[in-house]
Amino acid sequence: MSLTKQIDETDHVLGPADAPVTLVEYGDFQCPHCRAAHFYLKNVLATMGEDMRFVFRHMPLTQVHPMAQAAAEAAEAADAQGKFWPMHDLIYENQDLLSPALLTRLGQRLGLDMQRFTDDVVSHRFLSKVKEDFMGAVRSGAAGTPSFFINGEPYEGGFDDESLIDALRFAAQVRAPHPSRGQHAPRPRAH
Amino acid sequence: MEALKAGARAPEFELNSTPDQRIKLSEFRGQRVILAFYPADWSPVCGDQLALYNELRDEFAKHRAICIGISVDGAWSHAAFREHRGYKLALLSDFEPKGAVARDYSVYRTREGVSERALFVIDEEGVIRWAYVSPIGINPGADGILKVLEEMDGSRS
């Protein structure tokens, strides 16, 4: 099991392309564990800085999370106007209130062209992208959300910031060993 | 104990899918069955094995396959669990006698009184074509299931 779809221009990416470590998350906007991971990831990104590249892909479990797919499509519609990450963050920060009306309000808050945004959401313009992400997760062996891959390999540890930072630093050292840095194994899965 | 392997005939069973409805494996003869054993209802893990398989029902259907969950929980527990989680796939109750079907497939954990997390892909004639027992605590994805279904499609053409 490893990441089947390589990172390309269709992905949502934070951080430099040549970072020694890449973290890919398959996430669901309505999953409470993904929401928790989202807040941990803020600290992970701040701590790792330029040593890390972060990629978010969609894995909406639509039967158990009825708003997850609409939220994913709304994030893609915001991306079409250059606002993927602000929309991504706002959805997680307001997950408890997730509804079509909330997505509209978030679009307004981000100053989007609302006619275009609404047309894109209603016409499901980005549904195929969301489904492509989802099947990429399934083909890579993801079993739930959030699912993480570090440098293309599945990460089975906890998704709290400390566990992720340990694992990311370890992966970065493996890829680019430095004589002055000690190596230690990532923590075992904590949940 | 070693789970039944590919090539073995899938043991027949008849179990409750709801308090009022019973299902026999042989009713599915002519289509493929993905039999997904899991330890217990009400797993706290979000987006667990069943949620993923539930999501993939249409994908499985493209390969003429239906996925069925099975655990030692009672039919009333299954009914509440399905409703709570929004699952549409059938959940079978291997409750009385407890774990009898899991024992037939050699995936019963006697000490804990639950089944292993185990998958069997059964073909149109009732023969196991793929078997997988997950390490304890790890939810298997569906990549292996899809791969074997695609291989079965290829072997028929």
Side-chain angles (χ1 to χ4, degrees):
Chain A
M1 182 176 92
S2 57
L3 200 64
T4 56
K5 180 180 177 287
Q6 297 310 304
I7 295 151
D8 61 24
E9 68 283 355
T10 67
D11 278 310
H12 306 294
V13 180
L14 292 175
D18 61 350
V21 63
T22 296
L23 175 68
V24 174
E25 177 190 4
Y26 280 101
D28 171 319
F29 280 119
Q30 207 176 355
C31 162
H33 299 284
C34 296
R35 180 177 189 273
H38 164 69
F39 291 108
Y40 286 127
L41 282 165
K42 292 286 186 190
N43 190 31
V44 172
L45 285 160
T47 303
M48 294 297 294
E50 296 293 297
D51 287 341
M52 166 187 171
R53 176 172 59 157
F54 176 60
V55 178
F56 181 88
R57 290 177 176 171
H58 303 288
M59 191 180 178
L61 295 168
T62 61
Q63 299 295 330
V64 291
H65 298 142
M67 279 301 300
Q69 186 167 296
E73 291 181 62
E76 290 297 324
D79 179 62
Q81 300 186 45
K83 295 287 178 69
F84 175 81
W85 290 109
M87 181 62 96
H88 165 279
D89 289 0
L90 282 174
I91 291 171
Y92 276 130
E93 287 159 17
N94 294 275
Q95 189 190 66
D96 292 348
L97 305 171
L98 201 48
S99 69
L102 174 77
L103 295 172
T104 300
R105 286 201 298 277
L106 297 182
Q108 290 166 337
R109 190 166 148 189
L110 292 172
L112 300 180
D113 173 341
M114 290 308 293
Q115 185 62 55
R116 183 180 166 199
F117 176 74
T118 304
D119 287 349
D120 285 347
V121 170
V122 170
S123 67
H124 299 291
R125 181 179 167 200
F126 298 105
L127 180 58
S128 60
K129 162 78 166 73
V130 173
K131 289 196 165 179
E132 189 179 328
D133 273 7
F134 180 88
M135 287 311 295
V138 173
R139 297 286 180 180
S140 300
T145 55
S147 282
F148 290 106
F149 291 81
I150 295 177
N151 285 346
E153 297 303 312
Y155 168 69
E156 301 285 353
F159 53 74
D160 61 281
D161 47 358
E162 191 182 350
S163 300
L164 278 168
I165 289 166
D166 276 358
L168 290 163
R169 283 182 170 154
F170 179 74
Q173 288 167 359
V174 168
R175 181 165 158 184
H178 189 288
S180 65
R181 293 175 182 164
Q183 292 192 7
H184 54 100
R187 291 163 169 241
R189 192 176 183 89
H191 57 95
Chain B
M1 181 180 73
E2 196 168 8
L4 294 186
K5 290 184 175 173
R9 179 153 291 279
E12 173 66 328
F13 56 74
E14 180 176 354
L15 294 174
N16 281 77
S17 62
T18 71
D20 303 319
Q21 187 179 15
R22 290 178 72 78
I23 286 180
K24 287 182 184 177
L25 178 62
S26 53
E27 289 172 21
F28 298 101
R29 202 56 52 85
Q31 63 180 310
R32 297 163 181 171
V33 175
I34 302 153
L35 195 58
F37 286 90
Y38 64 100
D41 290 343
W42 308 106
S43 163
V45 181
C46 175
D48 67 3
Q49 179 184 17
L50 293 177
L52 180 65
Y53 299 169
N54 189 67
E55 192 72 37
L56 288 168
R57 285 175 307 122
D58 290 345
E59 195 68 28
F60 293 150
K62 289 179 190 171
H63 301 283
R64 301 186 316 285
I66 184 170
C67 182
I68 300 172
I70 177 169
S71 78
V72 298
D73 298 286
W76 291 104
S77 173
H78 278 339
F81 182 54
R82 285 181 79 232
E83 183 177 350
H84 177 73
R85 296 295 299 267
Y87 296 150
K88 292 184 178 172
L89 49 81
L91 302 180
L92 299 182
S93 174
D94 189 14
F95 179 65
E96 194 171 15
K98 186 179 177 184
V101 177
R103 288 173 208 272
D104 286 347
Y105 283 76
S106 296
V107 291
Y108 189 69
R109 267 193 245 156
T110 305
R111 196 165 68 176
E112 292 93 340
V114 297
S115 70
E116 300 281 1
R117 206 179 291 284
L119 300 170
F120 296 91
V121 175
I122 300 166
D123 72 12
E124 295 87 339
E125 283 78 44
V127 175
I128 295 170
R129 298 290 294 268
W130 185 73
Y132 174 81
V133 179
S134 174
I136 290 174
I138 300 295
N139 279 342
D143 49 331
I145 297 172
L146 291 172
K147 190 168 174 230
V148 74
L149 289 173
E150 286 162 359
E151 286 170 0
M152 290 165 74
D153 286 345
S155 70
R156 289 175 62 88
S157 59

